[in-house]
């Protein structure tokens, strides 16, 4: 069992060691191991008053919050009781240093967990902050199976801001059709788009209007009186300051979040301290986490709306509503005002302004390398592959292999058997930027598909420039939140229009760039990031919109595979890994 306290140095140690310990005044705190046992299964629930099958963890939706302290080991024993579906769970924002097989990415770092099996994830949470977990098998994240990971600073250390209470808020969008239905539609010809979500959930609760459903044949399918779809209420004490850890795990939607009549001071993003700035509207994209400070300093005789709305897409989804409840008012007491509807959905300038405002906090700046060893420019476009609608990166649409990359690469070095399980031709590192017009739909939309990967020399510095463009339809460029597994990266800059590889790098922020694991790519613009390829393993980099990744919007990096330790048997069992399982 883990204990806290000083390790004592007795006379049995050599004198030089005793003196060394005295000089350093070393007092160590042993890390703890946090154990979780999860039963993952489908249950009927009505998070927005409409009853459907939801993936739960121990009966909970959203799932239980994992709490730990920096340096702790987390062990999660996952039993898949989904009966007919595989699953895998990704620990979003946890870098998995030394444990790349625990990243939870089906097809990249592990075989999926088959129905009836139990899989044990074990990893270290090496940095304090606000993180996430979610399904990473197909489009299963749409069905639930998500939650938050809260990692506190080590004992004896403090954060550079103060607050009275710490609360978490998960934002998600919600569909009534199943993820399987959506997957079939996306992979059909003619193409069937998933459409806009039916609801926006705040902490797992939404407000779908049952009047929109014909319930003559199914009178119990939608019921607005169900307690589980009453608005989430966050109770606050007048005069107190609250740290709200706000996270988004939407499947499609970019969101705005606001609390009626209250300012929010942004202090953390993806586990890194931010030079504080004040917002009334927080823009948040799938896979991002923020901490904001909110003071309960308004008229305490009433409650206030906390709302979320879709931005960057023409909304077809009603406002998500929660109640900012001033004690001792009743939590179910609606505010006397109309819920706020947020900024204009197609006004991208405030979203760009927030992105540019996020800088590393003074005293916590991690200076990036001054230059990079490799530059990869990734053009994001919508394309056709053999008549099917896909997303492509530099005209290549990504597909997953049946044998996970981590196993194929590691075992290939050991046994030289698995070199053929994915395309050995690396994807392109750029596109014809001089001649490509990002503002128009292209006359030739055909692309190819591949599961080739980028091989990075270990410990080198990599620049990635994400370039947005027009889709197949005219006058349409979407927001894409890109998430990198296994790393944090420096956000060097954003720009409108087409990236100029000769002049735009001169504008990079190398002084106080924020580090993140998820970053937005704005319409008709570019985003530049830099990371160190210093974490041995195989890591996915992809758009965090479920449908976009399912349609090919992603790439894979390999680095230092020879430094990866012996792979555990429990990540095998699919594709050609079956032959590698040893007793």
């Amino acid at each position: 069992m883990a204990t806290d306290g000083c390790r004592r140095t007795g006379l049995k140690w050599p004198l030089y060691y005793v003196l060394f310990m005295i000089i350093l005044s070393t007092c160590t705190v042993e890390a703890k191991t946090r154990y979780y046992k999860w039963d993952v299964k489908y249950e009927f629930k009505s998070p927005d008053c409409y009853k459907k099958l939801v993936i739960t963890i121990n009966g909970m939706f959203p799932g239980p919050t994992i709490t730990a302290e920096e340096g702790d080991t987390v062990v999660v024993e996952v039993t898949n009781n989904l009966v007919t579906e595989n699953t895998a769970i990704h620990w979003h924002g946890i870098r998995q240093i030394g444990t790349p097989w625990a990243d939870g990415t089906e097809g990249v770092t592990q075989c999926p967990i088959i129905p009836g099996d139990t899989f044990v994830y074990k990893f270290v949470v090496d940095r304090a902050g606000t993180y996430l977990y979610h399904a990473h098998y197909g489009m299963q994240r749409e069905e639930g199976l998500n939650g938050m990971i809260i990692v506190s600073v080590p004992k004896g250390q403090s954060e550079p801001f103060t607050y009275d209470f710490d609360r978490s808020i998960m934002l998600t969008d919600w569909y009534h059709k199943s993820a399987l239905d959506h997957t079939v539609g996306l992979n059909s010809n003619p193409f069937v788009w998933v459409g806009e979500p039916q609801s926006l959930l705040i902490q797992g609760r939404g407000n779908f209007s049952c009047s929109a459903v014909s319930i003559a044949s199914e009178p119990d399918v939608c019921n607005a009186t169900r307690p589980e779809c009453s608005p989430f209420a966050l109770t606050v004490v007048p005069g107190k300051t609250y740290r709200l850890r706000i996270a988004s795990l939407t499947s499609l939607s970019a969101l705005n979040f606001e609390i009626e009549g209250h300012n929010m001071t942004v202090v953390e993003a993806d586990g890194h301290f931010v030079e504080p700035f004040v917002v009334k509207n927080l823009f948040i994209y799938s896979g991002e986490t923020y901490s904001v400070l909110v003071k309960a300093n308004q008229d305490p005789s009433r409650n206030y709306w906390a709302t979320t709305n879709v931005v960057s897409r023409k909304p077809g989804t009603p406002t998500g509503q929660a109640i900012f409840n001033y004690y001792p008012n009743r939590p179910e007491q609606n505010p006397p005002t109309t819920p706020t509807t947020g900024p204009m959905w197609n006004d991208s300038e405030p979203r760009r302004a927030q992105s540019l405002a996020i800088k590393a906090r003074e005293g916590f700046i991690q200076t990036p390398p001054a230059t990079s060893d490799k530059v990869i420019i990734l053009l994001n476009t919508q394309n056709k592959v053999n008549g099917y609608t896909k997303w492509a990166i530099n005209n290549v649409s990504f597909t997953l292999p049946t044998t996970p990359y981590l196993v194929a690469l590691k075992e290939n070095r050991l046994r030289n058997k698995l070199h053929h399980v994915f395309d050995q031709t690396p994807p392109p590192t750029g596109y014809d930027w001089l001649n490509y017009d990002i503002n128009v739909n292209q006359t030739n939309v055909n692309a190819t598909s591949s599961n080739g990967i980028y091989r990075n020399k270990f410990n080198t510095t990599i620049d990635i420039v994400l370039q947005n463009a027009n889709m197949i339809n005219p006058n349409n460029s979407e927001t894409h939140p890109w998430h990198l597994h296994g790393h944090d990266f420096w956000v060097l800059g954003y720009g409108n229009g087409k990236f100029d590889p000769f002049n735009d790098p001169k504008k990079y922020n190398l002084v106080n760039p924020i580090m993140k694991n998820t970053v937005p790519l704005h319409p008709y613009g570019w985003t530049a990031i830099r990371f160190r390829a210093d974490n041995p393993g195989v890591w996915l980099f992809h758009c965090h919109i479920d449908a976009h990744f399912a349609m090919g919007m992603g790439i894979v990096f390999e680095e230092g595979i020879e430094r990866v330790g012996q792979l555990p048997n429990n990540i095998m069992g699919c594709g050609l890994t079956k032959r590698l399982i040893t007793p």
Side-chain angles (χ1 to χ4, degrees):
M1 185 173 179
T3 58
D4 297 339
C6 295
R7 291 173 177 162
R8 303 184 59 180
T9 57
L11 294 178
K12 63 181 180 179
W13 294 101
L15 181 60
Y16 72 85
Y17 182 80
V18 176
L19 292 174
F20 178 72
M21 297 293 285
I22 292 172
I23 291 170
L24 291 181
S25 300
T26 302
C27 179
T28 62
V29 176
E30 292 185 2
K32 297 179 180 179
T33 300
R34 315 275 181 160
Y35 293 93
Y36 295 86
K37 189 173 183 177
W38 288 358
D39 176 20
V40 176
K41 64 180 179 180
Y42 273 110
E43 297 184 55
F44 279 108
K45 288 191 176 292
S46 307
D48 66 347
C49 304
Y50 184 96
K51 186 169 70 174
K52 66 164 285 186
L53 283 172
V54 176
I55 299 179
T56 64
I57 299 174
N58 298 343
M60 296 174 62
F61 168 77
T65 297
I66 290 176
T67 57
E69 188 175 296
E70 182 178 305
D72 286 351
T73 297
V74 173
V75 180
V76 187
E77 182 182 312
V78 178
T79 299
N80 178 7
N81 281 316
L82 296 177
V83 183
T84 61
E85 292 183 28
N86 299 333
T87 195
I89 301 179
H90 169 53
W91 316 97
H92 184 114
I94 306 302
R95 292 178 290 181
Q96 301 296 347
I97 298 172
T99 54
W101 48 78
D103 190 50
T105 316
E106 178 267 333
V108 179
T109 62
Q110 71 167 93
C111 292
I113 312 169
I114 65 174
D117 267 13
T118 296
F119 187 98
V120 178
Y121 291 98
K122 184 177 181 180
F123 52 88
V124 173
V125 288
D126 65 293
R127 189 186 60 253
T130 308
Y131 308 104
L132 301 162
Y133 67 82
H134 58 81
H136 217 299
Y137 177 80
M139 293 178 63
Q140 205 171 64
R141 180 158 56 92
E142 280 191 7
E143 310 285 27
L145 213 176
N146 59 54
M148 298 185 71
I149 304 172
I150 308 300
V151 183
S152 60
V153 297
K155 288 182 175 63
Q157 296 186 21
S158 60
E159 296 159 309
F161 46 84
T162 60
Y163 49 90
D164 298 299
F165 299 100
D166 191 332
R167 301 288 185 266
S168 299
I169 297 176
M170 174 75 80
L171 306 177
T172 49
D173 48 14
W174 196 245
Y175 289 93
H176 293 167
K177 280 190 174 182
S178 71
L180 178 59
D181 285 335
H182 285 163
T183 302
V184 171
L186 295 176
N187 288 282
S188 296
N189 191 0
F191 175 71
V192 181
W193 175 236
V194 299
E196 299 303 306
Q198 278 65 62
S199 300
L200 299 177
L201 307 185
I202 301 179
Q203 203 59 18
R205 293 167 178 251
N207 57 314
F208 179 73
S209 175
C210 290
S211 62
V213 179
S214 174
I215 58 174
S217 58
E218 298 179 89
D220 194 43
V221 71
C222 197
N223 186 340
T225 66
R226 290 183 176 126
E228 65 182 302
C229 63
S230 60
F232 168 69
L234 177 66
T235 300
V236 298
V237 176
K240 299 297 183 181
T241 298
Y242 289 79
R243 176 187 188 166
L244 302 185
R245 300 177 187 260
I246 303 171
S248 173
L249 275 178
T250 53
S251 297
L252 173 68
S253 308
L255 298 177
N256 154 259
F257 177 82
E258 60 183 304
I259 301 173
E260 178 192 7
H262 294 73
N263 288 332
M264 296 177 282
T265 302
V266 180
V267 293
E268 180 215 348
D270 289 3
H272 292 274
F273 296 134
V274 170
E275 192 64 30
F277 65 98
V278 177
V279 297
K280 284 188 174 296
N281 298 286
L282 178 72
F283 298 106
I284 185 167
Y285 308 93
S286 180
E288 286 192 315
T289 66
Y290 288 98
S291 284
V292 299
L293 301 182
V294 180
K295 188 165 186 178
N297 58 3
Q298 298 302 300
D299 178 3
S301 68
R302 52 160 289 196
N303 290 338
Y304 297 81
W305 292 111
T307 56
T308 185
N309 285 280
V310 172
V311 293
S312 189
R313 299 181 63 87
K314 188 173 183 179
T317 309
T319 298
Q321 302 172 15
I323 295 175
F324 198 67
N325 164 231
Y326 270 75
Y327 180 83
N329 301 325
R330 292 181 295 109
E332 66 273 14
Q333 178 183 319
N334 280 350
T337 51
T338 302
T340 51
T341 56
M344 289 296 295
W345 68 271
N346 57 354
D347 184 1
S348 60
E349 287 313 306
R351 301 198 300 276
R352 296 179 196 271
Q354 178 182 297
S355 294
L356 290 167
I358 303 174
K359 311 295 184 188
R361 186 164 186 143
E362 187 70 30
F364 297 89
I365 297 170
Q366 298 181 48
T367 305
T371 59
S372 64
D373 301 297
K374 181 194 293 187
V375 178
I376 302 173
I377 302 178
L378 303 177
L379 176 69
N380 292 232
T381 57
Q382 196 177 57
N383 296 76
K384 294 280 187 177
V385 177
N386 298 324
Y388 292 85
T389 303
K390 299 292 181 182
W391 283 95
I393 304 301
N394 294 340
N395 218 42
V396 178
S397 186
F398 175 72
T399 59
L400 280 170
T402 56
T403 298
Y405 291 107
L406 181 63
V407 182
L409 286 161
K410 185 64 178 176
E411 295 298 329
N412 181 48
R413 288 179 177 270
L414 295 176
R415 308 183 192 184
N416 198 29
K417 290 181 179 179
L418 303 181
H419 62 278
H420 61 286
V421 301
F422 64 90
D423 190 346
Q424 296 299 298
T425 302
T429 58
Y431 73 106
D432 183 8
W433 70 276
L434 274 175
N435 297 309
Y436 192 97
D437 188 344
I438 66 167
N439 296 298
V440 302
N441 52 320
Q442 301 298 301
T443 55
N444 178 13
V445 296
N446 290 322
T448 59
S449 62
S450 173
N451 55 21
I453 65 174
Y454 294 88
R455 310 289 289 270
N456 295 327
K457 185 178 179 181
F458 185 71
N459 218 28
T460 56
T461 300
I462 313 298
D463 278 4
I464 302 175
V465 179
L466 297 162
Q467 176 66 66
N468 216 338
N470 202 91
M471 298 171 56
I472 289 179
N473 298 325
N475 305 314
N476 193 357
S477 181
E478 296 192 351
T479 300
H480 303 289
W482 275 80
H483 171 56
L484 178 58
H485 292 226
H487 302 79
D488 291 334
F489 49 73
W490 290 275
V491 183
L492 301 183
Y494 301 87
N496 290 319
K498 186 160 56 174
F499 177 79
D500 182 336
F502 297 105
N503 294 309
D504 284 326
K506 300 174 185 177
K507 308 171 190 174
Y508 285 170
N509 176 16
L510 301 178
V511 177
N512 60 349
I514 190 64
M515 297 194 79
K516 294 181 97 270
N517 62 65
T518 304
V519 68
L521 173 61
H522 296 292
Y524 296 111
W526 56 265
T527 300
I529 67 173
R530 178 171 292 173
F531 75 97
R532 294 283 291 177
D534 57 2
N535 190 7
V538 187
W539 308 108
L540 187 62
F541 183 45
H542 65 107
C543 178
H544 213 256
I545 293 173
D546 270 353
H548 290 184
F549 177 50
M551 294 164 65
M553 202 170 196
I555 61 174
V556 168
F557 294 114
E558 176 271 319
E559 60 203 48
I561 195 69
E562 69 281 354
R563 299 168 181 258
V564 173
Q566 182 176 350
L567 302 181
N569 277 343
N570 65 350
I571 69 169
M572 304 182 193
C574 60
L576 295 182
T577 69
K578 296 175 184 177
R579 68 178 70 168
L580 300 175
I581 298 177
T582 56

